[in-house]
Amino acid sequence: MPIDGWLEALPGQDDRTVNRDVTDDVVLFAGRDHPLLSSRTVRHHVSRLSAHLLGGEAPGAPNLMDDGLRRALIGYSLYTRQLDMVQDRATKHICRDGCERPPLGCCNRSHNVVFSLSDIMMQSPTGLALRMGDALARLQAAEGSHHSHGAPTGERGCPYLTATGCTLYLFKSPLCVHYLCPTVADALNAAHGPEAAPFVEGMRRAARRQIERSTDFMEPGLIEAAVRMFATRGGAGSGAAGWPDGGASGNA
């Protein structure tokens, strides 16, 4: 699986089992609700990413990341991992087979960038939000490099888009990971009826949001709305039942 393969390849502190900070992170996130992920997947995900971030994100690099930033990044990655599973099931085939603007589609700009200069000047994000955006840029580079098996599109647009799809699974920007074009939104509404509305509106709300705080990176209740959306048409039901746990695959 692409995500687990990258997590295993991450450099990090070797002895993860005895590191108190990693253990504390695993316990913290094990106590939170992740509707589409098994407890085993959460433990593995958190332990690998925590060890990596504690190790300075590169072999031999000093650890300059405090607990608040590290845990904000881990929480965001668990959220986007589940959202990637939803998109893998609900939207990626539409982007792949029915996009009206190939080959770039909505990736025609560098939406991977979390903060522009005007965002910083006008919105005055908190220090944690700014550091989170900066760390996401570094993690995007690492993740994109690991998954970059397809040839670049050769077009102007997002640097993480290749001929075989997006190379980011965990660390897309909030704008990118939440964006639904009208074609995709209409397809979800047609396929799932009224139960699609909370998910579609939640995605749109998050994509439009100006980020001021670290909590603005995510949309509360969005994953739960996706679970309910699928349950209405003989889908996955509740919880992780029927979902390929952690099995993010495919393109876009």
Side-chain angles (χ1 to χ4, degrees), residues 71-143:
R71 289 170 177 171
L73 291 168
I74 294 171
Y76 182 71
S77 70
L78 288 166
Y79 169 83
T80 56
R81 181 170 188 158
Q82 293 175 91
L83 191 50
D84 188 81
M85 293 168 67
V86 173
Q87 293 169 323
D88 200 48
R89 185 168 188 153
T91 68
K92 291 185 181 183
H93 66 284
I94 304 172
C95 300
R96 183 187 64 236
D97 302 331
C99 181
E100 299 176 354
R101 299 179 298 169
L104 296 182
C106 63
C107 303
N108 61 340
R109 297 177 62 188
S110 295
H111 295 308
N112 59 294
V113 177
V114 177
F115 291 112
S116 68
L117 181 59
S118 61
D119 292 330
I120 296 173
M121 298 298 292
M122 298 295 293
Q123 299 300 322
S124 301
T126 65
L128 177 58
L130 285 173
R131 289 184 293 132
M132 195 169 171
D134 183 62
L136 279 177
R138 299 194 302 273
L139 288 162
Q140 285 176 353
E143 187 181 17

Side-chain angles (χ1 to χ4, degrees), residues 25-108:
D25 288 347
V26 170
V27 170
L28 175 68
F29 286 100
R32 297 181 179 179
D33 190 25
H34 310 285
L36 300 183
L37 300 177
S38 68
S39 57
R40 179 179 181 181
T41 296
V42 172
R43 287 194 302 270
H44 175 261
H45 181 119
V46 175
S47 66
R48 286 304 299 127
L49 189 54
S50 175
H52 175 58
L53 298 177
L54 282 162
E57 303 180 50
N63 177 30
L64 303 177
M65 190 170 293
D66 58 50
D67 291 350
L69 176 56
R70 184 180 72 254
R71 289 170 177 171
L73 291 168
I74 294 171
Y76 182 71
S77 70
L78 288 166
Y79 169 83
T80 56
R81 181 170 188 158
Q82 293 175 91
L83 191 50
D84 188 81
M85 293 168 67
V86 173
Q87 293 169 323
D88 200 48
R89 185 168 188 153
T91 68
K92 291 185 181 183
H93 66 284
I94 304 172
C95 300
R96 183 187 64 236
D97 302 331
C99 181
E100 299 176 354
R101 299 179 298 169
L104 296 182
C106 63
C107 303
N108 61 340

